Amino acid sequence: MAENPDHRSYDELFIGGRWRKPSSPERLTVISPHSEEPIGHVPTAGPEDVEAAVGAARTAFDHGPWPRMEPQERMRKIEGLAAIYGRNLDAMADLITAEMGSPRSFSRLGQAAGAASMIHLALAVARDFPWVERRQGVLGEAHLRRAPVGVVGAIVPWNVPQCLIMPKLIPALIAGCTVVLKPAPETPLDALWLAEMIEQADLPEGVVSVVTGGPDVGEALVRHPAVDKIAFTGSSATGRRIAALCGEQLKRVSLELGGKSAAIILDDADLDKTVAGLKTAGLMNNGQACVAQTRILVSERRHDEVVDALADMMSALHVGDPSDEKTDIGPLVAQRQQRRVQDYIRSGLQDGARLVVGGDDPPADRGWYVRPTLFTGATNDMRIAREEIFGPVLTVLTYRDEDDAVRIANDSDYGLAGSVWTADTAHGLDIAGRVRTGTYGINMYMLDISTPFGGFKNSGIGREFGPEGLDEYVELQSVACNGKLPPLPS
Ligand code: NAD
């Protein structure tokens, strides 16, 4: 087992369940977004490492015990992993904060504890899952079997790294798949620490590999003919490319992509509760959330009081060291991301939106920080209203009436999430039914990790969580029988 007490540097890759020297001398440096100092190193997987990981996964799937075990036997192994994981939550949260700048409070609850819950919820779903069933067909009784989809390539970004890995890795493993995981180059450390835990959980050889590196490593996985399915979370641009490559091979693919969600504030909404809710729903994880409610839709009648209340909330946010318990907004993951967000702020100004709070000047000399920024006077055709900014920037848009609010909410290439804020929850449900997004919140937006999550439109294909999330990792086999089928084991 790799002895690595601080989980900050790795010399080897986790290939087929064993630590192996990488084929290439190239290393990835993980840089603290707060101090801009290196905090760790990992190997970059070369083509030979991807080949070895996929080869091990293929052999384990075609010939190994894992897909041939009963689901309950696999679940026992995953319960073992959950126990190991559960003993390390605070340290995992702190590692993620160090890697990508998520404030400590969010890392503890929204990252590590959330990831642990995802393991337990996937196990609960699997206990009730119809692995085999009987159905009356036109030819007689049919036997239905849910078989593992095969070798899975799981590719994730850096914003909530463990919470993006778990809804792929765990259902895939429970279903009997073998998995090659490719974390983001910004957050390889938490993934390799998870590999150490997987090693302790003692899965059969070849079942899990972790290959660290950038887009080329991910693309090698997508192109590899021995990979049966790609499970991807990331930007819509990358998702489109991956879907095209998978299409050429008729490879299964599920995609969790970007968003530009609208929060519709109705005239009867409680202002204090709405603004308190939007603090999390719009700005969680420093605004680096695919589900962030970043377009704030308000009527002309309530515009001024909403903008004033949002401005007060945003001016009071504590921006600083993400390891500090008091911090609301930490740094963005990378200088590239800081510059990108600053560029969006400038584009808002150039397009004629009015800056209420914040701006493109950095709030600190060191660290990739961006001021929490609020725009109003924007229109839905501006870049700040159409494109995913992925930083602490909110844009207020004014609607004439409810139909107009729904129209603006739907006038987006994305369809990931949305919310409505109202005293009348029945009316809120009616609004939810008119908005084309995969998830919706009434007087809140939180992702419920026990219900299906995914996107309409350019926000993705497929669902994570719940039985639908497990369905993504099985193929359905129908067996007809000329004669009487033996009874199902009870
Ligand atoms: P990205 O698409 O650039 O990268 C995501 C992952 O894909 C990384 O591991 C990257 O190395 C890899 N990758 C990049 N190009 C690839 C290629 N051609 N082939 C294979 N792999 C490739 O995403 P990002 O900008 O780093 O992450 C932020 C994006 O992720 C945002 O758009 C955000 O909305 C989205 N996201 C979506 C969800 C969701 O559940 N819908 C959750 C979190 C983040």
Side-chain angles (χ1 to χ4, degrees):
M1 180 179 124
E3 280 303 325
N4 183 14
D6 71 352
H7 317 291
R8 294 268 175 116
S9 267
Y10 290 82
D11 296 324
E12 294 177 318
L13 290 167
F14 190 67
I15 306 276
R18 293 200 201 134
W19 295 94
R20 290 200 202 166
K21 288 261 168 276
S23 63
S24 131
E26 230 181 285
R27 310 266 285 162
L28 259 176
T29 303
V30 181
I31 301 184
S32 157
H34 171 64
S35 69
E36 301 183 25
E37 299 290 333
I39 61 159
H41 301 271
V42 303
T44 302
E48 286 169 40
D49 302 308
V50 175
E51 196 56 47
V54 174
R58 189 75 257 166
T59 304
F61 187 78
D62 291 342
H63 307 291
W66 189 251
R68 288 156 196 90
M69 289 177 178
E70 288 299 319
Q72 291 71 18
E73 281 179 83
R74 291 193 292 266
M75 285 157 66
R76 272 196 289 282
K77 288 285 187 192
I78 303 302
E79 282 160 9
L81 174 62
I84 297 164
Y85 199 81
R87 290 196 285 275
N88 292 291
L89 295 187
D90 286 353
M92 179 58 90
D94 291 346
L95 180 64
I96 293 171
T97 290
E99 278 181 301
M100 53 68 65
S102 173
R104 175 180 238 188
S105 52
F106 185 80
S107 283
R108 297 229 158 164
L109 209 67
Q111 305 247 27
S117 301
M118 289 174 188
I119 309 181
H120 290 291
L121 288 165
L123 284 165
V125 162
R127 285 184 199 108
D128 294 331
F129 197 66
W131 297 103
V132 287
E133 63 176 290
R134 291 289 162 81
R135 230 181 250 183
Q136 197 53 45
V138 288
L139 303 177
E141 196 185 25
H143 177 86
L144 266 58
R145 184 172 82 92
R146 286 173 173 84
V149 75
V151 174
V152 172
I155 303 173
V156 295
W158 43 265
N159 62 325
V160 276
Q162 290 284 303
C163 287
L164 301 171
I165 292 171
M166 293 307 182
K168 299 172 181 59
L169 177 71
I170 302 300
L173 290 178
I174 292 174
C177 301
T178 56
V179 181
V180 180
L181 167 66
K182 209 293 281 174
E186 295 83 356
T187 51
L189 300 173
D190 59 277
L192 288 173
W193 187 17
L194 176 64
E196 290 186 68
M197 297 188 210
I198 291 169
E199 185 185 27
Q200 285 175 41
D202 195 25
L203 271 48
E205 190 178 337
V207 173
V208 179
S209 297
V210 180
V211 287
T212 42
D216 49 334
V217 178
E219 191 151 325
L221 209 48
V222 174
R223 287 179 179 277
H224 203 298
V227 173
D228 298 298
K229 176 191 164 105
I230 293 293
F232 173 76
T233 297
S235 62
S236 296
T238 307
R240 192 171 287 119
R241 172 162 183 79
I242 287 177
L245 291 171
C246 288
E248 281 172 21
Q249 296 182 27
L250 292 181
K251 189 173 282 190
R252 278 83 184 116
V253 63
S254 48
L255 306 168
E256 297 285 347
L257 309 176
K260 189 74 191 178
S261 299
I264 301 176
I265 303 179
L266 296 184
D267 280 350
D268 63 356
D270 178 313
L271 186 60
D272 291 344
K273 286 187 186 152
T274 301
V275 170
L278 287 174
K279 178 177 166 185
T280 318
L283 298 164
M284 68 180 124
N285 205 21
N286 314 332
Q288 299 169 128
C290 54
V291 293
Q293 309 290 297
T294 51
R295 290 186 295 150
I296 314 294
L297 275 47
V298 60
S299 75
E300 277 149 21
R301 230 160 54 81
R302 295 200 74 184
H303 172 271
D304 292 357
E305 56 172 327
V306 168
V307 168
D308 287 349
L310 284 171
D312 288 348
M313 178 272 284
M314 291 177 75
S315 316
L317 291 173
H318 193 277
V319 181
D321 185 346
S323 66
D324 186 335
E325 204 74 55
K326 293 194 305 292
T327 293
D328 297 305
I329 303 285
L332 301 187
V333 67
Q335 188 171 50
R336 175 193 79 246
Q337 189 66 14
Q338 181 194 37
R339 290 190 175 147
R340 197 179 117 98
V341 175
Q342 290 167 330
D343 178 57
Y344 274 114
I345 296 173
R346 286 191 283 275
S347 93
L349 289 168
Q350 279 154 16
D351 288 348
R354 179 164 74 80
L355 186 71
V356 185
V357 168
D360 67 337
D361 53 320
D365 299 338
R366 198 191 52 167
W368 299 315
Y369 290 90
V370 171
R371 292 182 194 282
T373 297
L374 178 67
F375 280 108
T376 190
T379 53
N380 205 42
D381 55 357
M382 293 181 183
R383 278 181 68 209
I384 55 167
R386 297 213 77 78
E387 296 175 21
E388 191 179 40
I389 298 177
F390 236 55
V393 181
L394 302 182
T395 300
V396 174
L397 300 156
T398 313
Y399 64 78
R400 284 188 307 277
D401 53 28
E402 257 177 50
D403 285 348
D404 196 37
V406 170
R407 182 193 63 76
I408 296 169
N410 283 329
D411 179 15
S412 172
D413 295 335
Y414 295 109
L416 192 60
S419 58
V420 61
W421 305 76
T422 172
D424 180 350
T425 50
H427 188 54
L429 195 58
D430 180 47
I431 297 279
R434 298 171 64 195
V435 178
R436 305 269 306 151
T437 60
T439 56
Y440 211 73
I442 302 172
N443 294 327
M444 63 176 294
Y445 185 86
M446 293 265 278
L447 203 155
D448 184 334
I449 56 172
S450 69
T451 62
F453 172 74
F456 287 19
K457 301 194 271 184
N458 286 0
S459 291
I461 298 174
R463 291 293 178 270
E464 293 190 327
F465 310 129
E468 294 80 2
L470 188 46
D471 268 334
E472 300 282 347
Y473 297 93
V474 296
E475 297 270 18
L476 203 50
Q477 182 184 47
S478 298
V479 182
C481 178
N482 185 5
K484 194 167 165 40
L485 283 166
L488 282 179
S490 51

